[in-house]
Amino acid sequence: MSELSVTVSLVGTDDWLTDIRTSYDTVADSYAGQTREALDGTPYIRAALALFAELVSAGGGGPVADVGCGPGHVTAHLHDSGLDAFGIDLSPVMIDVARREHPGLRFEVGSMTDLPLADASAAGLVAFWSLIHLPDHALPGVLGHFRRALRPGGPLLLGFHAGETSRLKTEGYGGHPMKVYVHRRKPAFAAAALRDAGFAVEAQMLVDPDASLPGAVLFARRPSAPTGR
Ligand SMILES: C[S@@+](CC[C@H](N)C(=O)[O-])C[C@H]1O[C@@H](n2cnc3c(N)ncnc32)[C@H](O)[C@@H]1O
């Protein structure tokens, strides 16, 4: 009986990751087309990325992981800000697109649920609108990986949809079929999850708070001092 329930739960876990991977494989090209210039029109997001770059540099610099990088425009922006930025994404087609769009940068296929980074190897980590598809139950494990991969004192920058609702997205980026849940989260919920994972939460920003789909940006840091974790 217990063996059966373990099997069922593992199959369920694989399903949602497979759905995300397949969905972003399908939309990779059109997503790249729609987001290539996206940062040009978002001064507050650019300001958050500039502040993040300043925090990484103030800590001595080093490799910065853009986790769930998609087509790599944020990775490239961080690189242009002077950081040694590289990208990781679940979708192999997204990674192909990122390599094509930014041939001088490093991009690798990998999942944040099993983050392929050595302990304390990242000087900073960004996850921009890539946690939005993750079910709540997967958050502690993923944030644990982020904390593990960051050097003590390393900053973390999260961007996500602010709100409380979740919906199943069945098409996107020009009518292509998708099957992903999109989870909006309250900044206070995300901040609590970060604290639970051992992060110090340092700042938050709401972008377009009166829009139908506000954005949230959170700055956190792996504490320098030992916390017993
Ligand atoms: C909405 S897009 C965001 C892309 C990019 N960060 C941006 O800001 O435009 C979500 C991205 O997260 C990636 N992603 C979702 N789940 C992931 C996981 N478990 N590990 C790595 N990447 C993941 C998807 O493949 C997709 O490229």
Side-chain angles (χ1 to χ4, degrees):
M1 187 65 173
S2 63
E3 271 181 23
L4 177 64
S5 27
V6 167
T7 306
V8 168
S9 106
L10 285 175
V11 168
T13 301
D14 282 339
D15 279 354
W16 60 263
L17 268 182
T18 302
D19 287 341
I20 296 170
R21 183 187 298 115
T22 305
S23 295
Y24 278 99
D25 279 351
T26 304
V27 303
D29 271 311
S30 46
Y31 188 95
Q34 291 187 19
T35 56
R36 196 170 288 122
E37 318 290 342
L39 289 173
D40 293 350
T42 55
Y44 296 101
I45 298 295
R46 288 202 312 277
L49 291 169
L51 174 55
F52 174 77
E54 184 183 327
L55 295 174
V56 173
S57 299
V64 169
D66 178 7
V67 180
C69 62
H73 56 296
V74 171
T75 323
H77 186 86
L78 293 172
H79 178 262
D80 293 345
S81 308
L83 298 183
D84 176 16
F86 64 98
I88 295 174
D89 201 279
L90 180 66
S91 155
V93 182
M94 272 295 195
I95 290 298
D96 286 345
V97 170
R99 287 175 177 155
R100 188 184 72 212
E101 299 252 331
H102 310 287
L105 301 186
R106 286 176 292 139
F107 295 98
E108 300 296 338
V109 177
S111 179
M112 63 178 78
T113 54
D114 189 20
L115 193 64
L117 294 178
D119 293 0
S121 61
L125 196 151
V126 173
F128 252 27
W129 281 266
S130 52
L131 297 174
I132 59 172
H133 304 305
L134 217 67
D136 283 352
H137 68 76
L139 270 180
V142 165
L143 295 180
H145 273 295
F146 287 0
R147 184 183 182 281
R148 174 190 64 70
L150 274 168
R151 290 179 192 161
L156 170 70
L157 180 62
L158 298 185
F160 53 95
H161 297 315
E164 291 185 85
T165 55
S166 297
R167 74 179 178 99
L168 179 63
K169 184 178 173 97
T170 55
E171 64 167 13
Y173 310 106
H176 298 284
M178 300 184 81
K179 186 183 174 192
V180 290
Y181 281 92
V182 180
H183 304 289
R184 302 184 186 197
R185 294 188 168 108
K186 284 183 160 183
F189 176 89
L194 285 165
R195 290 186 194 98
D196 287 348
F199 282 95
V201 178
E202 297 193 340
Q204 71 178 50
M205 178 166 69
L206 260 188
V207 184
D208 290 332
D210 298 327
S212 59
L213 188 57
V217 173
L218 272 181
F219 287 83
R221 195 184 289 272
R222 175 174 175 172
S224 297
T227 62
R229 286 168 181 263

